[in-house]
Amino acid sequence: MKETPVRIPHILSMADLSREDIEFIFQTTDRFREVGGRPIKKVPALRGKTVINLFFENSTRTRTSFEIAGKRLSADVINITKSSSSVSKGESLLDTVKNLEAMAPDVLVVRHPAAGAAQTITRMLKARVINAGDGAHEHPTQALLDLLTIRDHKKTLSGLHVGIVGDIAHSRVARSNILGLQRFGSKVTVIGPKSLIPLGIEAFGVGVSYDFKAVIGDLDIIMMLRIQGERHDRLPFPNLREYSRFFGLNLQLLQKAKSDVVIMHPGPVNRGVEIAPEVADAPYSLILNQVKNGVAVRMALLYLLSGTEE
Amino acid sequence: MNASNKNILLEAIELKALFDRLASEIKEREVLSGPFQLVGIHTRGIPIAQRLAKLMNRDPDQIGTLDINLYRDDLSQASEMPVVKETEIPFSIDGSRVLLVDDVLYTGRTIRAALDALTDLGRPKSIALLVLIDRGERELPIQSDFCGKKVSVQPQENVKVRLQETDGVDRIEVIDRQA
Amino acid sequence: MTQILIHNVRIIDPANGLDLLGELRIKDSKIEAIGEKLDKLPGDEAFDGKGRVLLPGFVDLHVHLREPGFEHKEDIQSGTMAAAAGGFTTVCCMANTHPVNDEAAVTHYILEQSRSKAAVKVWPIGAITVGLKGERLANIGELQEAGCVAISDDGMTVMDSQLMRLAMDYAKGFDLPVITHSVDANLCHGGTMNEGEVSCQMGLKGIPREAEDIIVARDILLSRLTGCRLHVAHVSTAGAVELIRQAKAQGLPVTGEAAPHHFTLTDEACQEYDTNAKMCPPLRTCTDREAVIQGLADGTLDCIATDHAPHAIVDKEVEFDQAAFGILGLETAFALGYRLVLDERLSLEKFILALTAKPLEVLGKTYSGLKPGAPADLCLVDLDAQWVYRTAQSSSKSRNSPFDGWQFVGRVVHTWVEGRQVYAV
């Protein structure tokens, strides 16, 4: 049993979490997986605590996952969804957050289209903040559940070669996963058309490839990403058909992969674009394991953040 | 005035006698009301339950372990991140006679949490409680069914059960927190 | 009637070849005499310079006074008080007010307000295009007649090359310099900071350095085509410095300015999503910062201009993406520039020139500086003073500075405009 690591005030970025922190979170997650396996999937740990899901961007998967996590811990979970358009109509982020603070939440789960929004919010109120995705910056809880899913399957997080394929430029999932995987000494290669690979990515210490076919045979894990059409002001490739032809994962391309390769996707999946339906549903696809682990990881985080006071 | 802030309550040899007595009390009771399933509460309740199982010639790996962190009523008073330990019950709770095992009975809050934790896992026929030390000063109406020793200590004093398995030594001490 | 004898002071004016320990007399609005030892005249009010340094008042080619239209951020009074606190005796205010300074009536309004409220001299800069929209030329001739000293669509880039060419052709006929805000609007679309490792790590859309270089290159070529004087505002990239250097080598009428934040900070200041480090052009890399310093040192960049851009709390305490571009600059410019002098990156002489004679040269105006008969626009600086900049104490209405809490050596302690004391520390 590992000792308690240094207290983590907020979950904003994988860059803030050491390997020991992540291992401690996983150790706690294992306990919550046991709760998820019970007939009565509820414990009173966060009774009387208030968790606010503040979602400025549409999300069913992440919001539901946090909601279930909070409810299984007996917290009062309140969902507030604001389209970014209503923000432009008047109320500023500061006003929104100050109003929420008056309701004395214990944990604020924030999804926002602007990078850094969760961090900005920590400067505005006292509650613990979990970043549930901020623009193209980070999505640390997704990375944690991805790492856990990999660990479940490969029994290790070290020495693996993980390919992250697709819209790297706009992907917070990619950034968080890169940081997390590197903590454990796994190698990451980002793969996509050059127009979707951001300038400066090399500083993360990742490999870069513009040729999926050429590198697929070397990968232990393939993480497919969605094309984030809503973040493009101009399509960075000719059309989806051509994109799919060079960077989509289908059975034919999969022939070139290692026999024990596994496929992951943070969702939502655009079947037929980045991933062929028969690949998404195959046994080597861990997509649903990711979703299942998501609830347990988020229970662990809500519990750990609520468990201490300033 | 005591030079040390620590008083030894029981030495290893006395502790062993205490275990022997408790094991025979359990067996006596089982004759009357049927067998118990032992469930140790983290942390020291587990080795205590294991020792008792051995003394009763049962498989010490077949005892249940219970972590009550998720059922505590003082979560946010902790200064560090809570460490949740494993809850593992290798038998069906439903219909069984559970004997909860813990080291020290004090306010009763741990046992209250343990009862909640246990009943969330199933519906036992009955739950009994065994503790090594009862130091009094209860805050809840909870009493033990088996008790190694009742002691009377000051509020600022801590009763510390040390076991070979967890602390490298068998001994029960009273420590003055203010000293 | 003012008659002040400033004594016990080091008087420096490199453009007039002046560096002496002596005395200077202000009489009414003008400098009456300068010398090592002046005869005491009846009526002299003695002012002990305490061995500090008396300089010509600074000239800032690039400020946003926000009046008319955005008086909640700054107005002519508060902005010029901040200028006075920074040692500036003349500021040139950009046209992106509301309404835009794209016609004589607005220029008249600014000058009228300045006469009654301004602490320092205000010289308006007119718009190149109507409403800064980049669609058709503003009444450039009338703007000049009304008092504009240059034209610029600062904040916006005139993206239509033909229109920019017409503006420069037309301005050439009026001998007006054109100041270019050089950021390719398409290339930087949605960008909020320098594009590079830091923006990638922060997940922010970047503004590539090339967005600046492309427009600087285009406008230099247009200067060659039209013969119009071109002044490149707030140069932030190594590429732009080099382009201006080459243009000067070819004898083209091209000048450039450096903003203190660009020669002090890099894009790493944006980390933690500090919106007070968000400006356009953005803070760049170390290489760029060094190139800007080198540009000042070798004269490629003629002057230091602050791009003083006040913004209210509501414009800055928001998501980084949403935050307004720009920071305060007037009160910290001297201290930030003097850091370069202390670090021996820039000579004291060059530094003073960049704040005094050079900006006037850019505008094509005659520099008088410190000499008898010249307007008594002066500032006294204490080169040894250690002080901490606090935005809470700023004369500006706004607080958006990344330098809040910075410790400095070298401080402006007194400012006079036409013999009138407008600032004392």
Side-chain angles (χ1 to χ4, degrees):
Chain A
M1 190 63 60
K2 285 180 191 72
E3 282 308 303
T4 310
V6 181
R7 211 158 51 79
I8 307 160
H10 307 287
I11 304 290
L12 299 176
S13 160
M14 290 300 285
D16 301 336
L17 300 179
S18 69
R19 182 173 171 155
E20 290 68 32
D21 291 334
I22 295 169
E23 280 170 348
F24 177 69
I25 290 166
F26 286 169
Q27 174 191 309
T28 309
T29 302
D30 281 338
R31 303 289 89 82
F32 287 105
R33 288 207 268 204
E34 180 263 311
V35 174
R38 295 180 189 176
I40 302 168
K41 298 176 179 56
K42 199 174 181 96
V43 290
L46 297 194
R47 205 170 37 175
K49 302 272 182 188
T50 305
V51 175
I52 295 184
N53 283 332
L54 181 58
F55 276 59
F56 290 90
E57 237 180 17
N58 287 333
S59 155
T60 308
R61 190 179 312 253
T62 306
R63 186 181 52 72
T64 311
S65 181
F66 270 107
E67 189 172 351
I68 293 174
K71 287 183 168 166
R72 285 188 181 171
L73 290 167
S74 305
D76 296 310
V77 183
I78 289 116
N79 292 312
I80 298 176
T81 51
K82 286 187 105 137
S83 64
S84 39
S85 63
S86 79
V87 173
S88 64
K89 272 180 206 153
E91 197 175 49
S92 71
L93 181 65
L94 182 63
D95 284 329
T96 305
V97 169
K98 283 285 170 202
N99 273 296
L100 291 180
E101 165 130 70
M103 302 174 202
D106 296 284
V107 181
L108 207 59
V109 178
V110 181
R111 158 74 57 98
H112 197 289
Q119 184 167 358
T120 303
I121 285 173
T122 62
R123 294 197 281 259
M124 299 174 172
L125 87 177
K126 285 197 208 79
R128 301 310 179 82
V129 175
I130 297 179
N131 179 8
D134 62 331
H137 178 224
E138 284 216 43
H139 192 355
T141 65
Q142 177 72 41
L144 287 169
L145 72 90
D146 287 345
L147 294 183
L148 184 66
T149 307
I150 294 172
R151 196 195 66 170
D152 286 348
H153 199 84
K154 295 281 182 187
K155 306 298 170 215
T156 178
L157 282 169
S158 303
L160 299 169
H161 187 184
V162 181
I164 306 180
V165 188
D167 193 348
I168 310 297
H170 301 93
S171 176
R172 48 197 175 211
V173 176
R175 282 171 180 75
S176 288
N177 266 308
I178 290 168
L179 291 168
L181 287 160
Q182 287 177 338
R183 286 272 187 270
F184 290 87
S186 275
K187 178 181 163 191
V188 179
T189 299
V190 294
I191 301 151
K194 187 164 188 313
S195 52
L196 286 177
I197 308 283
L199 195 74
I201 192 78
E202 299 79 9
F204 277 91
V206 297
V208 177
S209 169
Y210 313 125
D211 188 348
F212 194 11
K213 282 187 193 70
V215 293
I216 190 169
D218 195 43
L219 303 175
D220 300 300
I221 315 275
I222 302 172
M223 233 179 240
M224 300 303 295
L225 300 176
R226 182 176 67 90
I227 292 295
Q228 310 231 2
E230 71 278 15
R231 296 190 211 279
H232 299 150
D233 42 73
R234 194 168 281 183
L235 205 59
F237 44 80
N239 53 51
L240 286 175
R241 191 188 57 78
E242 177 158 326
Y243 174 83
S244 181
R245 185 159 161 226
F246 289 94
F247 298 99
L249 185 57
N250 53 38
L251 285 176
Q252 194 196 348
L253 184 56
L254 210 52
Q255 302 294 313
K256 296 178 189 289
K258 288 185 180 176
S259 58
D260 62 346
V261 76
V262 289
I263 315 297
M264 299 174 71
H265 193 303
V269 175
N270 287 328
R271 286 167 184 251
V273 179
E274 70 269 9
I275 192 162
E278 57 275 23
V279 175
D281 298 331
Y284 42 77
S285 157
L286 303 181
I287 297 174
L288 294 178
N289 304 46
Q290 290 173 273
V291 178
K292 197 170 172 189
N293 279 337
V295 174
V297 163
R298 286 164 180 135
M299 283 175 84
L301 293 174
L302 287 174
Y303 177 73
L304 291 173
L305 289 198
S306 306
T308 48
E309 286 189 328
E310 287 290 341
Chain B
M1 203 70 175
N2 207 332
S4 154
N5 65 338
K6 178 164 91 174
N7 267 325
I8 294 181
L9 199 63
L10 293 177
E11 289 288 6
I13 183 119
E14 297 164 300
L15 198 55
K16 179 162 185 327
L18 196 141
F19 271 107
D20 288 341
R21 198 194 82 220
L22 284 170
S24 64
E25 278 182 32
I26 298 168
K27 280 197 277 193
E28 265 173 49
R29 186 79 58 90
E30 283 183 333
V31 172
L32 296 171
S33 53
F36 286 116
Q37 297 281 10
L38 268 53
V39 173
I41 299 174
H42 271 284
T43 303
R44 288 181 187 76
I46 295 168
I48 295 170
Q50 284 167 340
R51 287 195 196 185
L52 290 169
K54 272 188 227 162
L55 290 170
M56 297 187 292
N57 296 317
R58 295 189 197 157
D59 181 355
D61 292 340
Q62 287 303 304
I63 66 146
T65 64
L66 193 65
D67 180 83
I68 56 114
N69 260 304
L70 302 179
Y71 294 83
R72 283 167 55 166
D73 58 6
D74 59 349
L75 178 61
S76 60
Q77 286 159 29
S79 59
E80 298 223 296
M81 282 199 162
V83 180
V84 187
K85 292 161 197 155
E86 203 163 3
T87 290
E88 201 180 352
I89 310 291
F91 48 85
S92 169
I93 293 280
D94 289 333
S96 63
R97 291 175 186 280
V98 172
L99 180 57
L100 270 178
V101 179
D102 202 5
D103 53 355
V104 178
L105 180 57
Y106 182 19
T107 61
R109 288 179 193 275
T110 300
I111 304 305
R112 199 276 311 153
L115 292 172
D116 284 351
L118 206 55
T119 48
D120 265 8
L121 296 173
R123 189 177 184 284
K125 184 166 171 53
S126 67
I127 303 175
L129 175 63
L130 178 147
V131 295
L132 280 192
I133 302 292
D134 180 349
R135 59 164 293 182
E137 298 292 324
R138 213 81 71 240
E139 292 169 5
L140 297 172
I142 283 169
Q143 301 304 333
S144 62
D145 299 275
F146 303 93
C147 174
K149 188 176 173 63
K150 282 194 177 172
V151 298
S152 178
V153 294
Q154 297 301 310
Q156 80 276 8
E157 288 175 325
N158 244 351
V159 178
K160 189 81 196 152
V161 174
R162 299 192 184 280
L163 298 172
Q164 201 71 46
E165 296 90 325
T166 49
D167 312 280
V169 62
D170 275 354
R171 188 164 68 212
I172 299 180
E173 300 162 355
V174 177
I175 297 167
D176 190 334
R177 276 172 297 194
Q178 282 173 357
Chain C
M1 292 289 274
T2 317
Q3 188 176 315
I4 306 167
L5 182 67
I6 305 172
H7 61 95
N8 185 21
V9 77
R10 182 179 167 196
I11 303 167
I12 305 180
D13 180 5
N16 281 320
L18 207 61
D19 187 350
L20 60 86
L21 256 165
E23 304 182 347
L24 179 147
R25 178 179 290 110
I26 301 170
K27 192 163 183 343
D28 298 332
S29 65
K30 295 199 170 15
I31 297 167
E32 196 245 11
I34 301 170
E36 288 184 355
K37 188 75 192 155
L38 300 179
D39 294 331
K40 190 132 174 56
L41 293 182
D44 268 352
E45 183 192 322
F47 184 100
D48 185 356
K50 292 178 183 164
R52 293 165 176 169
V53 178
L54 192 63
L55 299 171
F58 307 149
V59 178
D60 191 342
L61 289 183
H62 198 140
V63 305
H64 299 270
L65 294 179
R66 303 295 188 211
E67 187 177 350
F70 305 104
E71 289 86 351
H72 63 289
K73 299 174 189 235
E74 194 81 288
D75 60 27
I76 288 171
Q77 185 173 15
S78 63
T80 54
M81 278 169 64
F88 292 92
T89 53
T90 302
V91 293
C92 302
C93 58
M94 284 296 175
N96 60 344
T97 47
H98 184 75
V100 169
N101 185 15
D102 58 5
E103 51 182 310
V106 180
T107 311
H108 286 310
Y109 174 84
I110 294 167
L111 290 172
E112 187 60 39
Q113 292 298 308
S114 301
R115 260 188 289 281
S116 57
K117 300 195 307 193
V120 307
K121 295 172 181 174
V122 174
W123 292 353
I125 292 169
I128 298 173
T129 67
V130 174
L132 308 178
K133 289 199 170 86
E135 290 164 356
R136 59 194 173 87
L137 296 183
N139 296 336
I140 293 167
E142 286 184 9
L143 285 167
Q144 183 185 39
E145 207 172 52
C148 288
V149 293
I151 52 170
S152 177
D153 271 6
D154 185 61
M156 310 290 281
T157 300
V158 180
M159 283 304 296
D160 182 329
S161 302
Q162 188 202 28
L163 187 62
M164 189 62 170
R165 183 250 167 109
L166 288 173
M168 291 176 75
D169 263 334
Y170 193 74
K172 165 75 178 166
F174 288 85
D175 196 26
L176 263 184
V178 172
I179 302 176
T180 173
H181 169 99
S182 320
V183 186
D184 185 308
N186 299 319
L187 197 47
C188 87
H189 185 80
T192 54
M193 67 174 292
N194 180 54
E195 182 172 350
E197 291 177 4
V198 182
S199 70
C200 178
Q201 174 255 318
M202 296 178 71
L204 289 171
K205 188 138 193 273
I207 301 172
R209 294 179 285 185
E210 287 69 14
E212 178 164 333
D213 303 348
I214 285 168
I215 300 297
V216 171
R218 180 199 72 172
D219 290 350
I220 286 171
L221 294 173
L222 290 176
S223 169
R224 189 169 73 186
L225 178 64
T226 61
C228 180
R229 282 189 284 141
L230 176 75
H231 179 65
V232 183
H234 41 48
V235 174
S236 76
T237 68
V241 174
E242 186 51 34
L243 286 163
I244 295 167
R245 188 175 286 128
Q246 289 167 11
K248 286 190 162 180
Q250 291 168 30
L252 296 174
V254 175
T255 54
E257 75 191 22
H261 45 268
H262 287 134
F263 63 65
T264 306
L265 301 171
T266 66
D267 55 358
E268 290 183 2
C270 298
Q271 280 165 346
E272 313 291 311
Y273 300 92
D274 181 359
T275 56
N276 284 332
K278 180 177 174 182
M279 65 278 293
C280 190
L283 296 172
R284 302 288 188 183
T285 65
C286 222
T287 313
D288 299 294
R289 182 182 62 184
E290 294 308 300
V292 169
I293 295 170
Q294 184 54 40
L296 276 173
D298 67 19
T300 301
L301 301 180
D302 301 76
C303 56
I304 293 171
T306 64
D307 194 7
H308 178 80
H311 285 294
I313 303 266
V314 292
D315 305 315
K316 281 291 195 181
E317 250 190 46
V318 293
E319 302 87 322
F320 197 90
D321 278 354
Q322 311 284 326
F325 289 101
I327 62 164
L328 302 181
L330 286 164
E331 292 169 317
T332 47
F334 178 79
L336 289 168
Y338 192 59
R339 279 160 50 103
L340 299 180
V341 177
L342 289 173
D343 291 349
E344 297 181 355
R345 305 295 311 275
L346 189 63
S347 68
L348 182 63
E349 181 185 323
K350 279 245 167 73
F351 173 49
I352 295 167
L353 283 171
L355 285 168
T356 56
K358 288 288 188 174
L360 286 166
E361 203 174 287
V362 167
L363 295 177
K365 294 206 172 245
T366 314
Y367 173 77
S368 41
L370 303 186
K371 60 183 174 202
D377 294 348
L378 310 165
C379 73
L380 185 71
V381 298
D382 181 345
L383 296 181
D384 301 317
Q386 295 190 19
W387 64 292
V388 176
Y389 176 62
R390 300 271 182 219
T391 52
Q393 282 139 34
S394 172
S395 302
S396 169
K397 284 186 176 179
S398 293
R399 297 289 175 260
N400 53 310
S401 169
F403 303 112
D404 185 32
W406 276 44
Q407 223 167 2
F408 291 115
V409 175
R411 183 175 202 179
V412 175
V413 291
H414 267 88
T415 308
W416 293 267
V417 173
E418 299 205 338
R420 189 168 45 91
Q421 180 180 297
V422 292
Y423 174 73
V425 71

